[in-house]
Amino acid sequence: MNDIYVDDAADDTDAWLVEAGRQIDEPDSDVERLISSISAGLGRTRRPARALATDSPGIRVTDRIVKQLIAIRIRRELGRLAVFASVDGEGEDIDGVRVGLIARYADDLREMSDRVRDVVDTVLFDTVGENASAAARRNISVRWQDVYTREWL
């Protein structure tokens, strides 16, 4: 595997941006407050951030920032908390994105999944670029977790 990782200074910057993103919005519901309080106490990921190629020469963005932007946009535009996000690919290339969210019983999961894919598509296009994100934008997987049982649907 030929992954490209960023140095510790960039990792600290990513950590700061991730923490700032968590503090942007207060959770609206009891379930979101519970999840937020649990996740706030978790340590940050120890895996080094992976630098991703973009359409702009000399500009790179990390997978950690892309995942955080996806979570923030989903929360803002759809009012949902992303409990899992993964930017898949080898090295600096992206070939897919996986997102996990908590389902509500009244949800139309097909329609909501399409809305999530639209949000992810926009984030990838805006941050990585049309060409560098083309494969990933065709491969966006959305999974739902039951709010009470925590089982994946």
Side-chain angles (χ1 to χ4, degrees):
M1 193 150 118
N2 198 11
D3 287 343
I4 297 172
Y5 295 103
V6 294
D7 62 23
D8 290 338
D11 191 49
D12 290 339
T13 302
D14 284 355
W16 178 83
L17 287 169
V18 167
E19 183 57 31
R22 285 183 179 158
Q23 295 177 10
I24 287 175
D25 296 317
E26 285 298 316
D28 293 335
S29 72
D30 291 338
V31 172
E32 288 177 350
R33 274 194 280 285
L34 175 62
I35 293 168
S36 181
S37 69
I38 291 169
S39 64
L42 299 175
R44 65 184 173 110
T45 305
R46 298 288 181 227
R47 183 193 62 78
R50 183 168 58 106
L52 305 173
T54 67
D55 286 350
S56 302
I59 303 293
R60 295 197 187 243
V61 65
T62 67
D63 61 340
R64 193 172 293 151
I65 296 302
V66 172
K67 290 187 288 188
Q68 188 65 24
L69 289 172
I70 288 169
I72 290 168
R73 287 259 183 97
I74 289 171
R75 190 173 197 174
R76 279 191 183 156
E77 295 180 24
L78 305 178
R80 295 307 176 90
L81 181 66
V83 295
F84 172 80
S86 176
V87 177
D88 301 328
E90 293 290 324
E92 60 186 24
D93 297 325
I94 306 172
D95 60 18
V97 173
R98 293 175 287 143
V99 181
L101 300 103
I102 295 177
R104 297 178 185 153
Y105 287 107
D107 284 343
D108 177 344
L109 295 182
R110 287 184 186 180
E111 187 267 337
M112 186 61 79
S113 294
D114 287 341
R115 292 176 63 197
V116 169
R117 284 186 194 93
D118 290 343
V119 169
V120 173
D121 184 274
T122 301
V123 169
L124 292 173
F125 188 93
D126 291 347
T127 58
V128 180
E130 180 179 11
N131 296 320
S133 68
R137 289 185 295 115
R138 289 189 301 268
N139 187 21
I140 300 169
S141 173
V142 180
R143 301 258 338 255
W144 294 94
Q145 191 174 43
D146 183 276
V147 67
Y148 296 110
T149 66
R150 296 188 180 185
E151 291 181 22
W152 291 101
L153 305 176

